[in-house]
Amino acid sequence: MNRGRRSYQFSSTFAWHNPAEFFSKLLELDVDREYLQNSVNNVSSDALLHDLKPSLNMLFRMCLTHARTTPYDDIKRANALTTFTALTLSVLGKNLSGWEIMEVMAGGVHQSDEFFTVCIRHQVLQLALTFMCGVTQLSPGAYFLRRDLFPSIIIFIKSPDTQRYTFEAILLLAILANFHKSDAAKLNPYLQRIRDTRDEDLMRKICWASNFALDAAIKTYQQISDDSVSPTLSKTLGSMIASWRPDRALASTQVDPPRELFKNHSRLPPPPCTLLSLSSYLLTHAGSTASLRSTAYANLSLNILLLLAEDDKIMSVLSKSSTSNIRLCRQRLPPLPIPKSGRAPTCALLDCCILWLRHNLQKQLDAHAYTICIWICHRVIWYLQRERIRLDYEWIELWISIIGLLKFLTTKLDSLTTTGGVERLVRETVLLLDLCLFGTETYLPTPQSIHEFVVRRQTSLLNSLGTNAEQKLSEAGTRTAKEAMGIVAREIEVNGLQAGRPSHEIEPL
């Protein structure tokens, strides 16, 4: 377990007559965490459940005993927690079932009640996080519901001595509240306690810690590539060096940062502004890699943005002019236009949708995520129309992205690899354009912006009409222009040029 001149070697057998004395001396030594984890990782799951089970049961039990009874400033207490955390990580990494985890850690289901009732501070907070994330929705997680840890977590958040760990405590509370949330929400005490709390100081600390974590994730992206609007010497030099890549040598166009930079990085303004800023980075780089993690974060961001768009009170705040500077991702080409000062945060919300629509069109299309993105745009524009808010925004960027999506779907439909939902995506996108066309004077700020939208939409419609007409003429085998115009006229007379009645009177679901 520990290595060095004054250490004991980890072994599959424990040859001692007095376990309490042995562990008391053992835990005085520094823990070689990496060696301990590797030793357990190299053991099979079957060995953990049989040959090593008595030894591991004793080791877990003695670590908990020292963590609970040893004085706070005693090194044995810290080493016990470190050992327990390392062992827990390795055991949970074996993908064992719920009862198997209890067999290895507690000795069996009947002994697990006593085993899972320890409550200590920071390292135990990390242990609780590791455990709940590892067991996900399996039965051992229920032990954290049988004992109400809500008051302890709240004290952890509000105490000046432990406020540096506020985010970890909030994360644990969120994970506990989500345990079997979908099928047994009424049995989860943490959900009820969160609903009933009226502690403003607690809410303020939660917002601060969450905002700090979001801002740290944004800075991780910006450390990879400086995408600030104002150019700097380091940024210019970096772009010049990047242009020397073999595939970019002597290129006359602006350098697009390589996607590989962002494959392993999916890590103060007001919280809503920070959330929009981080969403822009997540949505921009979701398609840079086939990572399920980056796709999951993008889907989470889209669902959060949809919740914002569906809340009238939030939309009322976001639609007002703001002095907060919301820095959006500009790390992939073509970048968004430089935002005007004082614009409403709703503009940043639409910009996030544009970034998703623009940078994630690929053969393996996530049709459901694109549908959510279209819903966000639909709900925002519906709200602007209802409240008659003329939003000063670069609307042409949104029209180009939406029509580009339709063009991609019509030209690449046969080669797409999806889980389904393309037909629904097309339908929702067409309905969005239909909504946008109705009442343009209620949300577009100038006659020029109305003209741009109408021209852009009609051009797309005529291109579509031209494709369909070409197919009809080819099938009919026309020889003269008069015959061709007759066929087109009859097609328009039968099918028309307009879509169905707009659903602007009904709030989008």
Side-chain angles (χ1 to χ4, degrees):
M1 194 172 83
N2 301 275
R3 293 187 298 176
R5 187 164 47 90
R6 298 177 57 255
S7 66
Y8 295 90
Q9 293 291 333
F10 180 84
S11 175
S12 59
T13 59
F14 287 80
W16 65 83
H17 299 288
N18 190 337
E21 181 181 355
F22 174 83
F23 279 98
S24 179
K25 294 181 178 180
L26 179 67
L27 293 174
E28 291 178 354
L29 305 173
D30 294 334
V31 180
D32 190 339
R33 182 168 180 165
E34 182 179 358
Y35 174 73
L36 177 60
Q37 286 184 284
N38 289 337
S39 298
V40 179
N41 290 339
N42 293 331
V43 176
S44 66
S45 300
D46 186 67
L48 292 180
L49 290 168
H50 296 92
D51 298 340
L52 294 180
K53 177 186 169 183
S55 301
L56 289 172
N57 291 163
M58 176 65 72
L59 183 55
F60 276 118
R61 190 175 298 111
M62 295 305 297
C63 285
L64 282 180
T65 300
H66 279 275
R68 184 169 50 234
T69 60
T70 305
Y72 184 75
D73 56 351
D74 194 325
I75 188 63
K76 289 185 288 186
R77 185 174 186 270
N79 288 340
L81 290 172
T82 302
T83 302
F84 193 96
T85 303
L87 287 173
T88 302
L89 280 171
S90 297
V91 170
L92 295 179
K94 297 288 186 179
N95 292 323
L96 302 173
S97 64
W99 71 268
E100 289 174 332
I101 293 174
M102 288 186 280
E103 286 285 339
V104 174
M105 299 181 69
V109 176
H110 298 293
Q111 292 80 23
S112 58
D113 286 347
E114 178 183 357
F115 179 81
F116 289 107
T117 53
V118 64
C119 179
I120 21 191
R121 298 184 88 165
H122 179 228
Q123 288 193 354
V124 174
L125 174 63
Q126 293 180 320
L127 171 62
L129 277 170
T130 301
F131 183 84
M132 287 303 298
C133 291
V135 301
T136 58
Q137 301 292 310
L138 298 175
S139 55
Y143 288 99
F144 282 82
L145 304 187
R146 294 174 58 180
R147 181 162 183 166
D148 189 4
L149 300 179
F150 187 84
S152 301
I153 296 176
I154 298 309
I155 293 174
F156 209 104
I157 293 173
K158 299 177 66 175
S159 173
D161 296 334
T162 55
Q163 65 181 0
R164 74 182 75 174
Y165 312 121
T166 296
F167 180 72
E168 294 170 272
I170 294 169
L171 189 59
L172 175 61
L173 182 60
I175 293 172
L176 292 172
N178 277 279
F179 184 77
H180 284 276
K181 179 180 178 181
S182 59
D183 56 349
K186 293 183 179 180
L187 301 178
N188 190 317
Y190 297 99
L191 277 176
Q192 188 62 39
R193 298 295 293 270
I194 292 173
R195 292 192 190 103
D196 295 341
T197 186
R198 296 293 182 270
D199 191 333
E200 293 185 3
D201 183 49
L202 171 64
M203 296 300 179
R204 192 176 298 109
K205 286 183 178 295
I206 290 176
C207 289
W208 176 85
S210 302
N211 201 31
F212 183 86
L214 295 177
D215 185 68
I218 295 171
K219 285 183 170 58
T220 302
Y221 279 103
Q222 295 171 350
Q223 288 171 0
I224 299 173
S225 176
D226 181 14
D227 61 343
S228 57
V229 175
S230 56
T232 61
L233 176 60
S234 59
K235 180 180 178 181
T236 304
L237 182 60
S239 297
M240 181 181 68
I241 295 175
S243 67
W244 293 346
R245 293 169 53 201
D247 59 331
R248 302 297 174 87
L250 303 179
S252 58
T253 57
Q254 186 176 352
V255 175
D256 186 7
R259 297 182 181 184
E260 293 79 5
L261 285 174
F262 303 94
K263 286 188 176 181
N264 298 320
H265 296 79
S266 285
R267 304 213 176 240
L268 288 173
C273 298
T274 310
L275 178 62
L276 289 170
S277 181
L278 178 59
S279 296
S280 72
Y281 286 90
L282 294 172
L283 296 174
T284 297
H285 296 298
S288 299
T289 172
S291 169
L292 294 176
R293 180 180 181 183
S294 62
T295 303
Y297 277 122
N299 274 274
L300 176 62
S301 296
L302 288 170
N303 280 281
I304 293 175
L305 296 181
L306 180 60
L307 290 175
L308 296 180
E310 289 177 338
D311 192 302
D312 284 351
K313 293 181 179 179
I314 294 177
M315 284 300 300
S316 175
V317 175
L318 295 182
S319 299
K320 297 177 182 178
S321 178
S322 173
T323 56
S324 298
N325 180 29
I326 304 178
R327 181 172 171 178
L328 301 177
C329 181
R330 299 174 58 83
Q331 294 173 338
R332 292 186 62 183
L333 298 178
L336 292 168
I338 298 176
K340 301 177 183 178
S341 59
R343 71 172 189 166
T346 303
C347 299
L349 177 58
L350 291 173
D351 281 343
C352 289
C353 294
I354 291 175
L355 291 172
W356 172 260
L357 293 171
R358 180 179 289 176
H359 297 302
N360 296 279
L361 291 174
Q362 50 193 347
K363 184 178 180 180
Q364 293 184 336
L365 186 71
D366 191 343
H368 179 67
Y370 266 88
T371 302
I372 295 176
C373 183
I374 294 298
W375 286 345
I376 297 171
C377 299
H378 195 287
R379 185 55 172 77
V380 170
I381 294 175
W382 179 87
Y383 177 84
L384 295 175
Q385 288 183 353
R386 190 191 69 178
E387 301 298 324
R388 305 187 73 84
I389 299 175
R390 293 184 174 181
L391 191 66
D392 186 11
Y393 179 63
E394 297 288 343
W395 288 101
I396 188 65
E397 299 292 329
L398 181 61
W399 311 143
I400 292 173
S401 299
I402 295 174
I403 294 173
L405 170 62
L406 285 176
K407 183 178 180 181
F408 176 84
L409 293 175
T410 55
T411 58
K412 305 292 185 180
L413 184 60
D414 295 335
S415 60
L416 291 180
T417 303
T418 70
T419 56
V422 175
E423 294 81 3
R424 184 177 187 180
L425 172 59
V426 173
R427 183 172 62 254
E428 296 293 340
T429 307
V430 172
L431 288 175
L432 171 60
L433 287 174
D434 195 33
L435 174 72
C436 295
L437 185 62
F438 173 81
T440 52
E441 72 284 355
T442 61
Y443 70 97
L444 294 180
T446 63
Q448 180 183 357
S449 59
I450 297 176
H451 174 74
E452 287 177 346
F453 171 60
V454 173
V455 170
R456 181 70 59 175
R457 184 180 186 277
Q458 294 304 321
T459 300
S460 176
L461 179 62
L462 290 175
N463 289 337
S464 176
L465 175 63
T467 302
N468 294 332
E470 183 179 355
Q471 182 179 358
K472 294 287 184 181
L473 296 178
S474 177
E475 293 173 355
T478 56
R479 298 181 178 180
T480 64
K482 184 176 181 180
E483 292 176 358
M485 292 303 297
I487 291 175
V488 173
R490 286 193 296 272
E491 180 69 18
I492 294 175
E493 183 178 354
V494 173
N495 298 320
L497 284 175
Q498 297 187 10
R501 182 182 176 184
S503 55
H504 54 270
E505 297 91 351
I506 304 173
E507 180 176 359
L509 299 178

